[in-house]
């Protein structure tokens, strides 16, 4: 009987400790949530009180296009600021992006819509940085680029949530015609010329596209634990290896 009482006592004591622990955790979570809400409210109030610029006016002068990361309602949205006052107030464009790139003739935005199931979308932007056409992307945004004349757009995305920190990460890099939205295909389908010969490997990855013109671009090729700088032709659907140990 004595052992039974001791056993019951231990169960009761454990139960009391467990309840207190859960209650404490709940109190902590609630307190932190309130702090977070208060912080967001303060950030929203600060943003509302801050001086504002008109995006259309800023776009008429030399400017920078950025993605806002400060807390508040504008977090994650496109903003523009004059080159003459880069530390001054920003003009916010109500377009959320994870990656954004712009030239005089337009822009390219890669976005992630997070929820129970996260979806991804590319959006081509006009000179006013407003949406013009959606472009399908198949993974998490990594990099967006436009040709100087804004007629070609390139996106690099991580497939299945991979990142550069993962060993053997996988990317998909595609180029599209901005006037029609027509794609030229995954760069992995382009012909690869290395040392004057066709090169094929199942582990090929491309990322880091930079356009020299509407047709000519440079990119990184990753394969067999090495990286290479390649020069590509959109119309020819071909890339040529220029040198090794180069990335982006």
């Amino acid at each position: 009987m004595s052992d039974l009482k001791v056993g019951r006592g231990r169960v009761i004591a454990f139960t009391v400790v467990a309840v207190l622990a859960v209650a404490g955790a709940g109190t902590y979570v609630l307190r932190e949530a309130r702090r977070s809400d208060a912080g967001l409210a303060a950030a929203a109030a600060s943003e509302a009180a801050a001086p504002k610029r008109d995006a259309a006016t800023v776009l008429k002068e030399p400017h920078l296009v950025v993605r806002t990361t400060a807390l508040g309602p504008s977090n994650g949205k496109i903003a523009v600021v004059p080159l003459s006052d880069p530390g001054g107030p920003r003009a916010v464009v109500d377009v959320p992006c994870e990656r954004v790139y712009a030239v005089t003739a337009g822009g390219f935005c890669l976005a992630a819509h997070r929820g129970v199931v996260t979806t991804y979308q590319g959006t081509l932007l006009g000179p006013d940085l407003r949406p013009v056409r959606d472009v399908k992307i198949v993974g998490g945004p990594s990099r967006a680029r436009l040709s100087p004349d804004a007629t070609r757009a390139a996106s690099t995305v991580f497939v299945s949530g991979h990142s550069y920190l993962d060993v053997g990460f996988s990317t998909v890099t595609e180029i599209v015609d901005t006037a029609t939205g027509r794609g030229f295909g995954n760069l992995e389908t382009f012909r690869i010329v290395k040392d004057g010969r066709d090169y094929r490997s199942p582990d090929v990855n491309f990322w880091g596209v930079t356009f020299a013109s509407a047709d000519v671009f440079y990119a990184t090729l990753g394969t067999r634990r090495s990286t290479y700088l390649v020069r590509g032709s959109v119309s020819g659907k071909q890339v040529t290896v220029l040198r090794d140990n180069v990335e982006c």
Side-chain angles (χ1 to χ4, degrees):
M1 182 66 71
S2 176
D3 290 342
L4 182 59
K5 288 181 178 179
V6 171
R8 287 178 177 173
R10 288 176 176 173
V11 171
I12 292 172
F14 174 78
T15 302
V16 170
V17 171
V19 170
L20 290 175
V22 171
T27 300
Y28 173 80
V29 170
L30 180 60
R31 184 171 63 248
E32 291 304 307
R34 287 175 176 170
R35 285 180 180 175
S36 177
D37 289 344
L40 291 175
S46 176
E47 182 177 316
K52 293 180 175 58
R53 281 189 164 116
D54 176 64
T57 301
V58 176
L59 287 170
K60 293 177 181 178
E61 59 182 295
H63 59 273
L64 294 173
V65 177
V66 299
R67 176 181 179 270
T68 300
T69 57
L71 290 177
S74 298
N75 180 267
K77 294 181 180 179
I78 296 174
V80 292
V81 61
L83 280 178
S84 59
D85 186 19
R90 297 175 175 181
V92 176
V93 181
D94 192 19
V95 178
C97 298
E98 299 253 335
R99 299 289 187 273
V100 63
Y101 188 84
V103 295
T104 303
F108 190 28
C109 162
L110 304 183
H113 304 294
R114 307 191 185 281
V116 177
V117 177
T118 300
T119 58
Y120 305 102
Q121 178 179 294
T123 303
L124 296 169
L125 311 172
D128 58 356
L129 300 182
R130 298 291 178 180
V132 172
R133 178 179 290 104
D134 289 340
V135 174
K136 181 181 179 182
I137 59 175
V138 296
S142 171
R143 186 168 180 168
R145 285 293 185 272
L146 280 173
S147 61
D149 62 1
T151 60
R152 301 284 187 270
S155 63
T156 296
V157 302
F158 292 116
V159 180
S160 301
H162 292 175
S163 74
Y164 289 121
L165 299 179
D166 296 329
V167 176
F169 68 86
S170 182
T171 58
V172 171
T173 297
E174 298 181 293
I175 296 176
V176 300
D177 183 309
T178 59
T180 64
R182 180 177 65 89
F184 295 93
N186 187 336
L187 290 192
E188 294 173 20
T189 66
F190 279 32
R191 180 191 180 197
I192 302 171
V193 178
K194 182 176 179 289
D195 300 325
R197 293 174 293 184
D198 285 358
Y199 177 84
R200 295 184 180 86
S201 180
D203 70 343
V204 164
N205 269 302
F206 286 95
W207 64 90
V209 167
T210 297
F211 287 99
S213 66
D215 187 64
V216 177
F217 65 91
Y218 295 87
T220 302
L221 162 64
T223 179
R224 298 181 183 177
R225 299 183 180 274
S226 295
T227 56
Y228 301 90
L229 173 67
V230 301
R231 178 185 173 101
S233 166
V234 178
S235 60
K237 300 193 71 172
Q238 174 178 308
V239 299
T240 301
V241 173
L242 300 181
R243 60 172 296 175
D244 62 358
N245 294 321
V246 174
E247 182 172 358
C248 295

